Amino acid sequence: MSSVSKHSANLTTAAAAIASFLAGMDVLIVNVALPTIASDLGGDMAVQQWVVDGYTLLFAALLLFAGSLADQFGAKRIFLIGAALFGGASLFCSFAWSMMALVAGRCVLGIASALLLPASMSLINEASPNPRYRAWALALWGAGGASASAVGPLLGGLLTPIHWSLVFAINVPFCLAILAVAPRIAPSPQRPTRFDWIGQILALTGLGALVAGIIEVGSAGIAAPATLLPLLAGVAALVAFAYSQTKVAAPMMPLGLFRVRGMQVALQIGFIMIFNWYGMVFICTMFLQNELHMNPFAAGLVFVPSAFVTIVGNLTGGRIVTARGSKFSITLGLAIMIAGFMFEFLTPRPIPVWVIATGLSVVGFGAAITTPAAAGVVLKSVNASQAGIASAMFNTFRQVGGAIGVAVFGVIATFLPSLDLALRCVFLASALLLAYVLAFELLRWKDAPVTAAAAESVA
């Protein structure tokens, strides 16, 4: 790699890592600010859930479509459009005059993140032909997303006491930094593709209705028409989506990729990890402020240790993948996360703040080791022409997990007598789900490279 191309690759990696950071941070930075926003603009638990899920839902539902756009028009072009839209939507949210306006702005932010994330992963793949450099670049990309999960609540706690609008305005300088390095990012190849409009409509309808139905369980009850109708409509639309993928000429989610065992492992890891983390942070920030009566700044400080530990873990994770392989890294990371969740679950009531901070750090460290390994498995499981769609599938499963996690754990919190008990349910459920993934990974997957012929067989 020449000095010029290496400099371009480094800038590309940095821009992609910033995008990964933004996409992850914007899910969770708003959590600490929600009580203050609700006090200012109004809104019950369901509306607060939509402030979070309006973002994650559009993010998740459009990732596959955005992956196809990145292949069709080039990852660089889609990446820069996403950065510009993200900055504009952030400004809109910072000036929101009502909860409905804020939810609308958050939906636009979700669209922008969908454009950013798969394109950023594809840009790393294009700029990193050397496997060792790619492992390092993916580790940095993973560090951006994973550290954002910890830094987001911290920044929310720091900025909310000044004014809650700053939790959105803080995105703008990052977007400008991405656009500033755009001339140094190498052009991306364009691959003619056909869009699966039927699949996209069914996916968006199905996920939207499903999440709406789950959220309504807490407000209206499980047997209410407002709950049952969207749940049934969501399930029906998702079944129709799966069926459509076997019939259309250019499916947005090639079902053949699910036959690759490495993809099965990576997709399950992506879904369950973010399901756990987003749901935990949503309930945890409410527990700290509503039950322990901590102010937003103090609640944000609880996440400081995990922020630093997560960054170190991601950088360490890249070295572990290079030295020991993906299977070892994933096994180690999952085991650490399970230990962290069980440590928090087994603590006597009430849960002390130091236990929450320690547990978050342990879980964050395990997640930081696992994320770059799982991302690498995705790229090893497909050929170069499918990198965009495979990356989008991986990140779709992650964000769908996050949206459903917030909805499910939010509903659990409405039915339990205390947030302390709700948080314990989150810890136990998270440990059990990760134990399932660990067993699947150990028993049914071998970390073997995918040949070109094998990759073509699932195209």
Side-chain angles (χ1 to χ4, degrees):
M1 186 182 294
S2 69
S3 59
V4 175
S5 62
K6 184 175 182 180
H7 182 60
S8 175
N10 288 338
L11 287 176
T12 300
T13 299
I18 291 173
S20 178
F21 176 82
L22 279 176
M25 181 181 72
D26 229 62
V27 177
L28 299 174
I29 192 173
V30 73
N31 280 277
V32 175
L34 273 176
T36 303
I37 294 173
S39 177
D40 193 1
L41 301 181
D44 57 11
M45 171 74 83
V47 175
Q48 292 179 57
Q49 286 175 276
W50 274 116
V51 172
V52 178
D53 273 352
Y55 175 87
T56 53
L57 183 60
L58 270 294
F59 190 2
L62 295 175
L63 273 170
L64 291 169
F65 179 62
S68 296
L69 286 178
D71 289 339
Q72 173 77 33
F73 299 106
K76 178 181 177 179
R77 180 178 298 176
I78 299 303
F79 181 70
L80 297 179
I81 292 173
L85 183 61
F86 201 101
S90 296
L91 280 178
F92 179 87
C93 287
S94 68
F95 289 102
W97 58 92
S98 69
M99 213 61 157
M100 290 301 100
L102 181 59
V103 171
R106 292 281 291 169
C107 289
V108 178
L109 272 171
I111 296 171
S113 289
L115 296 175
L116 273 175
L117 203 61
S120 70
M121 203 170 175
S122 292
L123 283 177
I124 286 180
N125 199 44
E126 293 167 6
S128 312
N130 184 289
R132 293 180 65 88
Y133 182 88
R134 186 188 300 122
W136 174 86
L138 283 171
L140 193 62
W141 177 85
S147 62
S149 298
V151 173
L154 169 61
L155 282 177
L158 290 171
L159 297 173
T160 300
I162 304 172
H163 196 273
W164 59 261
S165 62
L166 294 178
V167 303
F168 306 110
I170 190 66
N171 296 331
V172 176
F174 291 104
C175 294
L176 293 176
I178 291 175
L179 296 174
V181 303
R184 305 304 300 270
I185 299 176
S188 297
Q190 299 181 28
R191 304 179 181 92
T193 59
R194 286 189 291 178
F195 298 125
D196 177 15
W197 296 107
I198 293 176
Q200 180 60 75
I201 293 170
L202 289 172
L204 185 57
T205 302
L207 289 173
L210 183 65
V211 170
I214 294 172
I215 290 175
E216 283 300 315
V217 171
S219 300
I222 187 64
T227 299
L228 290 177
L229 289 178
L231 283 176
L232 293 174
V235 171
L238 291 176
V239 170
F241 167 76
Y243 177 76
S244 74
Q245 298 305 284
T246 66
K247 299 299 181 182
V248 297
M252 62 183 293
M253 183 183 286
L255 298 184
L257 291 178
F258 288 102
R259 293 198 296 269
V260 179
R261 197 60 56 83
M263 284 291 293
Q264 294 174 8
V265 171
L267 294 178
Q268 290 185 73
I269 288 172
F271 180 92
I272 291 176
M273 277 179 56
I274 305 301
F275 176 95
N276 293 342
W277 186 262
Y278 285 4
M280 178 183 66
V281 172
F282 182 76
I283 301 301
C284 187
T285 52
M286 290 193 170
F287 170 75
L288 293 172
Q289 294 185 67
N290 296 343
E291 195 151 311
L292 298 187
H293 306 294
M294 298 174 66
N295 61 46
F297 176 73
L301 288 178
V302 175
F303 296 87
V304 170
S306 62
F308 289 103
V309 168
T310 301
I311 294 171
V312 173
N314 264 271
L315 298 177
T316 303
R319 298 190 185 97
I320 295 175
V321 170
T322 302
R324 302 295 300 271
S326 299
K327 189 178 182 70
F328 179 87
S329 297
I330 291 172
T331 301
L332 177 63
L334 291 174
I336 291 172
M337 283 189 283
I338 293 170
F341 280 123
M342 290 306 298
F343 166 73
E344 293 182 301
F345 170 71
L346 294 173
T347 302
R349 296 184 65 182
I351 304 175
V353 172
W354 73 266
V355 169
I356 293 176
T358 303
L360 285 170
S361 299
V362 174
V363 172
F365 186 75
I369 292 175
T370 306
T371 299
V377 169
V378 170
L379 293 179
K380 285 197 302 182
S381 298
V382 299
N383 57 29
S385 66
Q386 291 182 307
I389 195 65
S391 300
M393 285 176 64
F394 177 62
N395 288 296
T396 293
F397 271 69
R398 283 163 53 89
Q399 297 308 318
V400 168
I404 295 178
V406 170
V408 169
F409 289 133
V411 167
I412 290 174
T414 63
F415 286 104
L416 294 177
S418 71
L419 287 170
D420 181 282
L421 184 57
L423 199 52
R424 289 179 186 278
C425 288
V426 172
F427 296 148
L428 179 60
S430 299
L432 293 176
L433 289 170
L434 289 171
Y436 155 73
V437 178
L438 178 59
F440 182 91
E441 178 253 338
L442 288 174
L443 297 175
R444 304 197 62 191
W445 176 61
K446 294 182 179 180
D447 185 18
V450 178
T451 65
E456 291 290 350
S457 70
V458 298

